[in-house]
Amino acid sequence: IIAVGKLMSSAASAKAGKREIHCFESKDDFIRAAKNILKKGDTILLKGSHSMHMDEAAVYLKDMGELNE
């Protein structure tokens, strides 16, 4: 589980159970760490508010996936 933002970090921590969790304060923090966390074959559901500019994270993840093909 990857959570971005203080509210999402709290929510993810409450629901993580035994799953691995990574929490980031900002989209930029997540983007900097993504290549070290994500592995080929991972499934990603990206959900976030437009105000957090998660669309930029989506573009980064798409580009990252194309580089790994």
Side-chain angles (χ1 to χ4, degrees):
I1 295 175
I2 298 171
V4 179
K6 292 179 184 178
L7 292 175
M8 287 308 301
S9 294
S10 296
S13 295
K15 296 293 183 183
K18 294 181 180 182
R19 289 172 282 216
E20 186 176 353
I21 184 167
H22 302 274
C23 298
F24 302 95
E25 287 197 25
S26 72
K27 173 237 349 148
D28 293 328
D29 292 340
F30 162 65
I31 288 175
R32 281 191 288 276
K35 65 183 173 188
N36 297 317
I37 295 171
L38 300 172
K39 298 173 191 75
K40 186 173 182 166
D42 283 352
T43 300
I44 301 167
L45 167 63
L46 187 63
K47 195 242 181 263
S49 66
H50 188 68
S51 65
M52 288 194 67
H53 305 282
M54 293 304 288
D55 53 318
E56 295 171 15
V59 170
Y60 175 81
L61 292 170
K62 180 181 178 290
D63 292 346
M64 192 173 99
E66 289 173 356
L67 292 174
N68 291 325
E69 290 182 351

